[in-house]
Amino acid sequence: MERIEHRACFGGWQDVYRHRSEALRCDMNVGVYLPPQAAHGPCPALYWLSGLTCTEQNFITKAGAQRYAAEHGLILVAPDTSPRGDDVADAEGYDLGKGAGFYVNATQAPWAERYRMYDYIVDELPAWIEANFPATGARAISGHSMGGHGALTIALRNPGRYRSVSAFSPIVAPTQVPWGEKAFAAYLGDDREAWKQYDAVELVGSAKEKLPLLVDQGDADEFLETQLRPRLLEAACEAAGHPLTLRMQPGYDHSYYFISSFIGEHIAWHAAAMK
């Protein structure tokens, strides 16, 4: 692995590393914030999954999360959103291919060769973090939009793996909205039953762990009714008896202005769960 950025930040260090991913068969960039407490002993880790078009840079430069991670003693891990490289399959538009991995394991050509973001996030990335950084093994997961979808589905499918989960503006039912339908048809093929393993609304009914879900959603989000549809998750959680805190935030949109306004509360939520 190679450290390619190293900046002092709130008493700790905001770094970016490049490492080889065997799951994705390419080099990946990962933002790692080490709080000041990490100089004295291991700390729990919060994994952040970003949304469409993003890299590791969006969260670490726009969310203002380091201030709160330093306060609570959390490592922040912010990976890229897809495999990268000149020989990695891509497509026209922003919602498929590079920058749009959707945190699934693709099964269809040409995507299946590299697009295995589910395996990367669930297994390879935490193993790499815990082998190379002062991390305790206590994990939480969060994300925005496509990354909120990833955080919710990964937490629901992996009981005991995470102490807490939250999301900003998540795509809660990708099998029912245009972003998800386009991506899943390409990555997973035409079998809609196979899509359900990556759909939070479908997963809550069979979740083996009732891990409480915290979701913040802006009511001025331009994608609210067409792509995000948080009320579908609310109804599914109510039917399944799954704990959900859905906060509709007046006036907020889909941007990092929204995320930065509430990221401190999310980090406090995760810190309390990981103590």
Side-chain angles (χ1 to χ4, degrees), residues 28-252:
M28 290 291 284
N29 287 357
V30 184
V32 179
Y33 177 69
L34 295 176
Q37 295 89 334
H40 307 289
C43 298
L46 171 60
Y47 291 80
W48 173 269
L49 307 184
S50 290
L52 287 166
T53 76
C54 290
T55 69
E56 81 288 346
Q57 290 292 322
N58 297 72
F59 179 71
I60 67 175
T61 59
K62 294 181 179 181
Q66 295 92 341
R67 173 182 179 179
Y68 305 104
E71 177 183 343
H72 293 285
L74 299 188
I75 296 171
L76 300 178
V77 183
D80 202 346
T81 55
S82 76
R84 301 284 180 172
D86 293 339
D87 57 347
V88 172
D90 202 5
E92 294 293 330
Y94 70 94
D95 52 359
L96 186 67
K98 294 178 187 177
F102 268 86
Y103 306 101
V104 305
N105 285 340
T107 59
Q108 305 299 304
W111 313 104
E113 182 181 4
R114 303 288 181 87
Y115 282 73
R116 304 190 63 81
M117 287 297 293
Y118 180 87
D119 282 352
Y120 176 67
I121 298 299
V122 172
D123 296 318
E124 186 175 26
L125 182 61
W128 178 76
I129 289 292
E130 289 160 23
N132 291 284
F133 300 94
T136 62
R139 309 179 197 100
I141 192 165
S142 186
H144 172 234
S145 194
M146 177 185 74
H149 138 76
L152 293 175
T153 56
I154 285 170
L156 289 167
R157 286 182 59 180
N158 292 275
R161 185 74 59 94
Y162 303 96
R163 303 280 182 88
S164 54
V165 57
S166 73
F168 290 82
S169 317
I171 307 170
V172 301
T175 63
Q176 301 184 52
V177 300
W179 275 341
E181 290 177 320
K182 177 179 179 178
F184 286 9
Y187 296 146
L188 304 173
D190 296 330
D191 180 6
R192 284 180 171 260
E193 284 299 311
W195 298 7
K196 292 181 180 180
Q197 65 184 310
Y198 300 110
D199 185 304
V201 167
E202 296 287 344
L203 291 170
V204 290
S206 58
K208 296 179 180 179
E209 178 186 29
K210 300 292 188 182
L211 191 65
L213 312 181
L214 171 62
V215 174
D216 268 322
Q217 172 66 61
D219 72 358
D221 191 317
E222 60 268 43
F223 304 113
L224 177 59
E225 299 301 334
T226 56
Q227 305 281 11
L228 307 177
R229 304 181 67 186
R231 296 303 181 188
L232 294 177
L233 181 64
E234 185 176 50
C237 286
E238 184 175 351
H242 197 109
L244 166 68
T245 301
L246 172 61
R247 309 193 304 185
M248 299 299 298
Q249 303 290 4
Y252 286 91

